[in-house]
Amino acid sequence: YSFKDKVNQIIEDGSSNPEKFKEISPEILVLYLEEKLKKNPNDLQGWLILARTCVFSGYYQKADKYYKNALKNFPLNEDILLEYAILKKNINQTKSAKDYLYKLKSLSPNNLKAREVLIEILINNLLHNEAKKELNQLFDLKNDDEEYIRKIKKKFKLN
């Protein structure tokens, strides 16, 4: 019990002083957020901060767990879906990443970042026909933005 008090005190001290907050270890922040989210699982920002802290600290299994928990409470949240898909992509679980990105695409067809990550995955997995289809849809969405189209063509080495 005293350890929880110590963790809470470290976070409270850090929250009132930005310089002290920088000194808080990710492990302490994770412990603090885990405890807070047990009490209030409907804290969207808490889940995002917890999962991001785990990603940045290299705790990918924990991050995976917390993104899953966040999705239970917020199944249609675009930030969670996108970040979880990117995590899945980065740990070579591309099928799962694609599934989340297709779900996000159906929820929010104008989410350009999600569509770009999806195209990247398709290209990297040599699914050129699917990638071409996605690129064409993306270009249709942004057909009036020549600078964006130029950027995407350069990014995916289409010219």
Side-chain angles (χ1 to χ4, degrees), residues 17-140:
N17 181 340
E19 289 305 312
K20 276 194 169 190
F21 192 78
K22 291 178 188 176
E23 297 171 10
I24 297 173
S25 73
E27 291 82 7
I28 294 293
L29 186 56
V30 167
L31 290 170
Y32 175 79
L33 289 168
E34 285 174 337
E35 196 61 34
K36 290 292 183 186
L37 289 165
K38 282 180 191 173
K39 295 175 187 170
N40 180 12
N42 292 319
D43 180 358
L44 172 61
Q45 291 307 311
W47 286 114
L48 287 170
I49 293 168
L50 178 57
R52 289 170 183 163
T53 300
C54 290
V55 169
F56 294 135
S57 301
Y59 302 130
Y60 301 124
Q61 286 180 321
K62 278 190 164 209
D64 187 273
K65 173 184 170 184
Y66 296 131
Y67 279 122
K68 277 184 198 169
N69 287 348
L71 281 172
K72 287 178 189 171
N73 294 303
F74 307 97
L76 304 178
N77 183 276
E78 290 183 40
D79 292 329
I80 297 169
L81 288 166
L82 179 60
E83 290 179 27
Y84 195 27
I86 290 171
L87 172 66
K88 292 292 195 178
K89 175 184 82 83
N90 290 342
I91 60 174
N92 295 318
Q93 294 181 6
T94 56
K95 182 187 178 326
S96 183
K98 282 188 337 183
D99 292 343
Y100 286 110
L101 290 166
Y102 280 123
K103 179 176 182 175
L104 182 50
K105 178 183 163 187
S106 71
L107 291 171
S108 179
N110 294 328
N111 188 319
L112 300 178
K113 178 66 178 170
R115 296 187 85 145
E116 289 177 29
V117 173
L118 178 58
I119 292 165
E120 180 183 348
I121 289 170
L122 294 171
I123 289 171
N124 289 342
N125 286 290
L126 305 175
L127 300 169
H128 297 294
N129 288 337
E130 283 184 61
K132 187 174 182 178
K133 177 183 166 193
E134 292 297 327
L135 276 164
N136 288 335
Q137 290 176 7
L138 186 60
F139 291 154
D140 287 344

